[in-house]
Amino acid sequence: MKLFKTATPALRAARNKLCFFPALALLLPVFLLSCDKTSVYYPRQPSGVQEETRRPGLGTAQAAYGSGDYFGAAAAAETFLKASPADVTEQIAAWRIIAESSGKLLHPEETLRALENWKTLSPQSAAQEDWLALWSATLGQLAFDDARVVAAAAAADKNNPWQLQMEGKLFLQENRLRTGLLDGLPLELERIYAGIPYGDTRKKLEQRLFDLLHRADPAIVASLAKQATETNEKNYPYALFRLEEARRLYLDLRTQDLAREMVDFLKEDSLLADQSLFRAWNDPDLSALGALKVNQATLALVLPLSGQYGNLAEKIVTGAEIACKGFFSNGSPVQLRIIDSDKPDWLQELMLLPPDVQLVGGPLRQSDYMELKASGALYQRKFFAFLRSLEGNDEGTAAWRFFSSNADQLRAVIRFSRDLGIEYFGALVPDEEYGARMLALFREQLGKNSAWLSKTATYPADKHQEWNKLVAEFLNTTKEAGHPPNTPFQALFLPDSWQNSTIMLPNFFYYRERRQLVMGTMLWEQGIAMQKYREGDSYRMLIFPGAWDAQSTSPSSMILRSSMAAAGREAPDFWVSLGYDFVNMAASLPVQPNALPEAINATLASPGDTPWSGAPIRWDSGGRASQELFVFTPAEAGFTLAEPDKFRVYYQRAWGGNFVTPPPTPGMAAETGAPDGRSAP
């Protein structure tokens, strides 16, 4: 999709130049680019928006930029350029203001136009870090086809400084790496590296590739590492492929010794320019927190540090401390106060915290929340509770939620199912208060997603011997039937533990019902993680929601994994992620000590820059939280992200287009989740 209807002269010129280089035009598929690269060039020139000028018109533009009025800054600079002749220095300063303002406003074609004029007046500006960093970031804002055109033209234009030519080539090749188009990629990277005349720039290039590999898909890293041989593994880029392979092995305590041996071998007679990589190869990359502005210098956590919750609380504190370390390493210290809610005097200790400690994570137990509320301490600070729900209308008024709700769980699996084309659902729930509550919520969420609840039933959770007969009645079939049952639904909701679910599901298989997409809750996560599981056809149609993806290569999840590995601890899980994400969010939250709930809600509802390690949490204007959970499926080594394309194939093979829309049955209209008042089909 184009971001602008018409191309700027800079983009049209780039397209014209590209006509002479058709091979470059076919390098990549359509792909929306990210711009998280480390800049290669220096020294950085002072920004034009900060330079002193003699002409009042330009001063107006500079003042507007300094106050954050980027629209006004760009308009004033344009007016200045049109109003009267200016010397070259002033013109460059004006075009710089337009370029940087347009970049802030995410107007990429205007940014490119200004950069091109800036470069025309000062060709060597395109060799400087500030110009190149803005140019690279702007490509990431363009539709991919347009970005590819601009990058390829810059790479091919011999009149450009070599730094800009190189940046264009890197842009194309690095996005080949991101998308897995690896044929010939190492050789192209090797050629770019060989053409760099300066050792310091080569060091930057090595670090840039190493950082990019940190976030690459595991399959891509494995494929690239295989291209390292005895003859090239000491050279760029192959040495970095192997170094990243070692770094990932180090994240598992069982393979840390092997990782160290690999690095020791790579270091010997290495031809890399930056030998410091062999000292810091397994250090957590805490730079992901460098862009966050610290607004809360001290935070608190209210957690039960002993008893049955002690292990979870310890993990939350561990994640929080990793985030604090990240802020400290970037020059913005954040302190953490821990209140043990298992102590008899914990409420008094909480009330005695200094007034500047305004944001508190927790509590973790509903009983502690009720004590906070009864004592009045809940209203003295801003609490972000690690609870699935808050009492009454408390959410967004008395406290805020920093945890997924049951509605978040159901929304995740229902949307996944609806994307597969599933419209009719069944539900089999335990005959207890939890089952009734989840069934009511399931019906509500189906209504919001225009789906039907065709059939429901309950079962005694503690009487496994009765389940086989109950399933036969639920499916309206018998063991003598020679065909799969004629079920009026394509997906089954089963809100129970993983242990109970693995006892229940074989009863469905016994009656030849293997076609259902079975949807669980987050209760499955712990059970699957604790038992050894071997993937098979029986369980490949199962999905459940979760907030932590252990295989994620996002910057923050890698910070957690590498930090835990460096400390000799087990891999992080959801609870470690929870503490880490809370500190990142809360420390950067611009909340005044006496802020009213309405002001906090407005701040929370604004898009933030939190680098989430787990599933991101969003708040609406009323302060109510929702979490966009991941959807997982059981796998040989625990569980993995459910891939919609694979499940679409599984589903189509299972049904073969033979699902028959269920006829009207007594009570079905009442069971429907459809929100538009339509009758049952």
Side-chain angles (χ1 to χ4, degrees), residues 62 92 97 106 152 173 187-188 201 212 235 333 514 526:
Q62 292 170 331
I92 291 173
I97 291 173
L106 303 181
Q173 300 306 322
L187 182 59
E188 291 298 325
T201 304
L212 183 60
N235 305 328
R514 296 176 177 270
Q526 184 176 7

Side-chain angles (χ1 to χ4, degrees), residues 638-650:
F639 51 87
T640 187
L641 285 177
E643 299 180 37
D645 289 343
K646 283 187 178 180
F647 272 79
R648 195 168 287 110
V649 172
Y650 297 159

Side-chain angles (χ1 to χ4, degrees), residues 4 7 37 97 103 216 234 248 255 270 289 415 535 581 589:
F4 292 84
K37 300 188 287 290
I97 291 173
K234 303 288 187 175
R248 297 193 182 207
T255 53
S270 169
L289 302 181
R415 286 181 178 176
E535 185 177 8
D581 284 343
L589 196 64

Side-chain angles (χ1 to χ4, degrees), residues 284-475:
D285 180 9
L286 301 173
S287 62
L289 302 181
L292 290 180
K293 179 183 177 182
V294 171
N295 291 294
Q296 308 293 330
T298 307
L299 304 171
L301 287 173
V302 172
L303 300 169
L305 299 181
S306 59
Q308 62 176 343
Y309 291 92
N311 181 49
L312 303 183
E314 180 185 356
K315 291 181 177 182
I316 294 172
V317 172
T318 296
E321 289 176 340
I322 291 172
C324 289
K325 181 179 178 181
F327 280 114
F328 181 82
S329 70
N330 285 284
S332 302
V334 174
Q335 295 184 358
L336 199 60
R337 303 290 293 270
I338 310 296
I339 305 295
D340 183 359
S341 60
D342 275 333
K343 290 183 177 180
D345 61 344
W346 71 274
L347 282 172
Q348 293 87 337
E349 186 178 353
L350 177 65
M351 293 178 180
L352 291 174
L353 287 176
D356 63 316
V357 185
Q358 282 294 305
L359 300 187
V360 184
L364 185 60
R365 294 183 298 206
Q366 188 69 35
S367 58
D368 291 343
Y369 181 82
M370 299 307 296
E371 282 194 59
L372 277 171
K373 191 173 181 179
S375 69
L378 184 68
Y379 308 101
Q380 296 179 4
R381 305 176 200 275
K382 287 76 178 176
F383 285 84
F384 285 80
F386 303 146
L387 299 170
R388 297 209 184 278
S389 63
L390 301 182
E391 186 184 36
N393 296 317
D394 283 359
E395 188 170 1
T397 57
W400 290 263
R401 184 164 51 85
F402 200 84
F403 211 81
S404 62
S405 67
N406 289 329
D408 294 335
Q409 297 185 54
L410 299 185
R411 185 174 62 251
V413 293
I414 290 172
R415 286 181 178 176
F416 186 94
S417 306
R418 295 293 284 124
D419 287 344
L420 299 181
I422 295 175
E423 190 174 3
Y424 297 93
F425 294 77
L428 187 59
V429 304
D431 60 353
E432 53 192 20
E433 192 274 333
Y434 169 76
R437 187 171 69 250
M438 294 301 285
L439 178 58
L441 191 57
F442 185 64
R443 182 181 290 110
E444 176 186 324
Q445 290 298 316
L446 286 180
K448 293 180 179 180
N449 286 273
S450 300
W452 300 90
L453 183 55
S454 301
K455 193 167 186 178
T456 66
T458 62
Y459 59 90
D462 58 347
K463 297 181 180 179
H464 299 169
Q465 69 277 9
E466 298 180 13
W467 290 1
N468 185 272
K469 181 180 178 181
L470 186 145
V471 168
E473 294 172 354
F474 183 62
L475 297 176

Side-chain angles (χ1 to χ4, degrees), residues 43-314:
R44 182 179 179 89
Q45 292 182 339
S47 173
V49 300
Q50 298 174 346
E51 293 175 355
E52 295 296 328
T53 62
R54 299 187 300 274
R55 305 172 73 87
L58 192 55
T60 300
Q62 292 170 331
Y65 185 94
S67 67
D69 179 11
Y70 304 122
F71 279 109
E78 292 274 11
T79 300
F80 169 77
L81 288 168
K82 295 176 181 177
S84 60
D87 62 33
V88 171
T89 301
E90 291 174 328
Q91 291 181 56
I92 291 173
W95 283 118
R96 177 177 269 166
I97 291 173
I98 296 169
E100 296 188 359
S101 297
S102 299
K104 295 285 188 181
L105 296 169
L106 303 181
H107 292 171
E109 299 217 5
E110 284 301 305
T111 307
L112 286 178
R113 179 180 70 90
L115 286 170
E116 187 65 26
N117 282 292
W118 178 359
K119 179 167 75 79
T120 299
L121 293 168
S122 174
Q124 282 305 306
S125 62
Q128 300 299 328
E129 181 182 359
D130 48 2
W131 192 100
L132 287 160
L134 181 55
W135 183 82
S136 296
T138 303
L139 295 195
Q141 298 167 15
L142 289 170
F144 177 75
D145 279 345
D146 288 347
R148 177 185 51 75
V149 167
V150 174
D157 190 345
K158 302 304 181 184
N159 292 320
N160 284 332
W162 67 265
Q163 293 94 334
L164 178 55
Q165 294 180 49
M166 181 182 71
E167 186 64 37
K169 294 174 184 177
L170 286 172
F171 185 90
L172 294 169
Q173 300 306 322
E174 289 175 345
N175 281 282
R176 288 184 63 195
L177 191 155
R178 290 188 180 97
T179 54
L181 300 178
L182 307 180
D183 288 346
L185 174 64
L187 182 59
E188 291 298 325
L189 291 174
E190 195 174 0
R191 287 172 178 168
I192 295 171
Y193 185 84
I196 297 174
Y198 304 114
D200 285 344
T201 304
R202 284 189 171 188
K203 290 181 180 179
K204 292 273 187 175
L205 202 61
E206 291 165 1
Q207 184 62 59
R208 174 166 165 167
L209 177 58
F210 197 34
D211 290 343
L212 183 60
L213 289 169
H214 290 357
R215 293 179 288 278
D217 184 89
I220 290 176
V221 173
S223 179
L224 290 172
K226 288 180 181 178
Q227 299 190 46
T229 67
E230 292 182 1
T231 59
N232 64 26
E233 63 185 349
K234 303 288 187 175
N235 305 328
Y236 175 96
Y238 308 96
L240 296 173
F241 299 160
R242 293 294 308 277
L243 194 60
E244 176 61 20
E245 181 184 33
R247 194 182 74 88
R248 297 193 182 207
L249 287 171
Y250 185 79
L251 298 178
D252 189 331
L253 296 181
R254 296 168 297 181
T255 53
Q256 283 191 349
D257 289 341
L258 173 60
R260 293 188 184 96
E261 290 175 8
M262 290 174 60
V263 174
D264 288 343
F265 173 77
L266 290 171
K267 181 179 179 181
E268 186 177 349
D269 301 324
S270 169
L271 297 177
L272 291 180
D274 188 1
Q275 293 293 301
S276 68
L277 290 172
F278 295 111
R279 295 192 299 274
W281 63 278
N282 59 353
D283 288 349
D285 180 9
L286 301 173
S287 62
L289 302 181
L292 290 180
K293 179 183 177 182
V294 171
N295 291 294
Q296 308 293 330
T298 307
L299 304 171
L301 287 173
V302 172
L303 300 169
L305 299 181
S306 59
Q308 62 176 343
Y309 291 92
N311 181 49
L312 303 183
E314 180 185 356

